Amino acid sequence: MEILAFGVQSDEKPLIEKAFAGRHEVRCLDVFLTEDTAPIAAGHEAISTSVNCGLGNRVLQTLAAGGTQLVAQRSTGFNNIDLDVAERLGMTVARVSYYSPYSVAEFAWTLGMAVNRRVVRAANRTRDFDFRLDGLMGRDMHGRTAGVLGTGKIGEAFTRIAHGFGMRLLGWDIAENPACVGLGMEYVPKERLLAESDLISLHVPLMPQTQHLIDADALRTMKDDAVLVNSSRGGLIDSQALVAQLREGRFTGVGLDVYEAEAGLFFLDKSLEAVEDDTLARLVTFPNVLVTSHQAYYTADAVGQIVDATVRNVVDYAEGRRSENVLVPRS
């Protein structure tokens, strides 16, 4: 069986090819799965997709008409896939339920500290041999309060780092994580967490209940000098409301590795094009905002685990097995 893998990054390709060697053939494409590219999959029983591929009704219909029966997503998130349509079409959908939580947690802290200590501004200055310290003053994290929204595996890893800094720990989730409680975390209502935290990091999945979890009201609840970090899903933050608050001069820093309208932008080179997204264009102009292109997961360790899990998902499908990674089972 030949698997067609969409949206493969250049660093990722050799890992995928090596992992599939001796098992199944794989063809890697750097294009993302869209309505325009879906016909390419005709004749392929199995495809693999990334989180920024769009698998809505029309795409899934095209895939099914071309004979695709398995979608093996190379991510934990799956909000880009219409699972109801996939089930109706009799398609199997699998994801990667686990990979290194440290990759995302460590990068979230990288973003938080970069905006707190003005690292990007400092680096840009020294490239021009400007070694002044004006405007570069940050704050110690020791003794301050970290608010963690979502305390699963990644949130726990983030909390352990915050504990290492010597921070007071506040958490919010539908269930308490005993490991976080053991580190001294106090679980509180979201509004209290936002009001008292000096650094807030988001680690919850995107679903209807969490869409715009950080909306205009939530942003107004936060301290004027807070640091906000999102390395989870872009739709958790109302981007237009965030821009409005930033224009009022609020927040020490905002670190965003994800953006709610990133599909069609992130992972692509748009440097020679006019970006039509006015909200994103405005966000990147603020000196206290750092935007990266959904790279928090992108370590050799995490990507290797993602690829290995994807291979297992394909092999399980081919051999008639079902694992915890299956979102829509074979009908």
Side-chain angles (χ1 to χ4, degrees):
M1 180 167 60
E2 183 182 65
I3 295 89
L4 192 63
F6 285 91
V8 177
Q9 304 298 309
S10 58
D11 296 331
E12 189 183 15
K13 183 178 178 180
L15 297 176
I16 292 177
E17 292 176 339
K18 180 179 179 180
F20 273 104
R23 299 184 180 188
H24 295 281
E25 296 295 322
V26 62
R27 183 155 64 97
C28 296
L29 304 177
D30 58 2
V31 299
F32 291 92
L33 180 61
T34 65
E35 290 184 21
D36 293 331
T37 60
I40 300 173
H44 290 84
E45 182 179 351
I47 66 166
S48 179
T49 57
S50 69
V51 71
N52 273 354
C53 292
L55 286 86
N57 178 53
R58 294 181 65 177
V59 168
L60 289 170
Q61 292 278 1
T62 301
L63 292 174
T68 298
Q69 298 180 40
L70 170 67
V71 175
Q73 175 120 315
R74 302 188 307 280
S75 72
T76 298
F78 52 89
N79 54 284
N80 60 315
I81 306 173
D82 192 323
L83 298 181
D84 292 334
V85 172
E87 184 175 16
R88 189 168 67 247
L89 294 171
M91 302 175 73
T92 299
V93 179
R95 63 161 178 166
V96 176
S97 58
Y98 175 85
Y99 61 85
S100 169
Y102 309 107
S103 61
V104 179
E106 290 171 6
F107 194 82
W109 268 109
T110 300
L111 288 175
M113 292 306 293
V115 294
N116 173 43
R117 301 303 301 270
R118 315 290 198 263
V119 172
V120 175
R121 184 185 299 179
N124 288 337
R125 280 187 186 178
T126 55
R127 284 179 180 272
D128 293 329
F129 296 95
D130 179 352
F131 299 104
R132 294 172 299 156
L133 297 182
D134 297 345
L136 301 182
M137 184 176 288
R139 296 180 296 172
D140 290 1
M141 286 292 104
H142 179 83
R144 287 189 160 82
T145 300
V148 187
L149 293 163
T151 56
K153 292 182 176 66
I154 297 173
E156 178 187 330
F158 184 90
T159 299
R160 290 187 182 280
I161 299 171
H163 180 263
F165 274 111
M167 301 184 74
R168 173 184 176 228
L169 305 172
L170 297 181
W172 176 84
D173 209 327
I174 57 174
E176 295 185 2
N177 183 333
C180 293
V181 174
L183 293 169
M185 173 172 279
E186 179 185 1
Y187 280 84
V188 298
K190 183 183 73 171
E191 291 72 23
R192 181 181 162 194
L193 182 150
L194 296 175
E196 297 183 12
S197 296
D198 299 292
L199 184 147
I200 297 163
S201 192
L202 308 182
H203 300 288
V204 299
L206 180 61
M207 54 186 66
Q209 304 95 300
T210 59
Q211 179 75 27
H212 287 178
L213 180 71
I214 303 300
D215 57 12
D217 289 339
L219 290 164
R220 282 192 289 267
T221 302
M222 293 168 54
K223 294 181 177 182
D224 288 343
D225 60 355
V227 171
L228 174 63
V229 176
N230 186 12
S231 58
S232 185
R233 288 292 180 267
L236 298 175
I237 296 179
D238 183 336
S239 302
Q240 293 186 8
L242 177 59
V243 167
Q245 293 294 302
L246 288 164
R247 291 183 65 179
E248 293 182 12
R250 301 193 64 223
F251 308 134
T252 289
V254 176
L256 303 174
D257 185 52
V258 288
Y259 174 63
E260 60 181 324
E262 68 183 54
L265 290 171
F266 282 20
F267 303 152
L268 300 172
D269 182 2
K270 296 289 184 178
S271 60
L272 299 179
E273 302 177 26
V275 176
E276 298 177 358
D277 189 321
D278 292 338
T279 303
L280 178 60
R282 187 68 180 94
L283 274 173
V284 299
T285 66
F286 290 105
N288 58 334
V289 174
L290 176 57
V291 179
T292 53
S293 56
H294 206 140
Q295 71 179 82
Y297 77 100
Y298 207 54
T299 67
D301 309 84
V303 173
Q305 293 168 7
I306 290 169
V307 170
D308 288 343
T310 301
V311 172
R312 288 196 303 273
N313 288 340
V314 173
V315 172
D316 285 347
Y317 165 84
E319 297 180 0
R321 291 190 298 269
R322 178 179 174 181
S323 73
E324 72 281 359
N325 289 340
V326 175
L327 298 169
V328 179
R330 176 181 286 181
S331 58

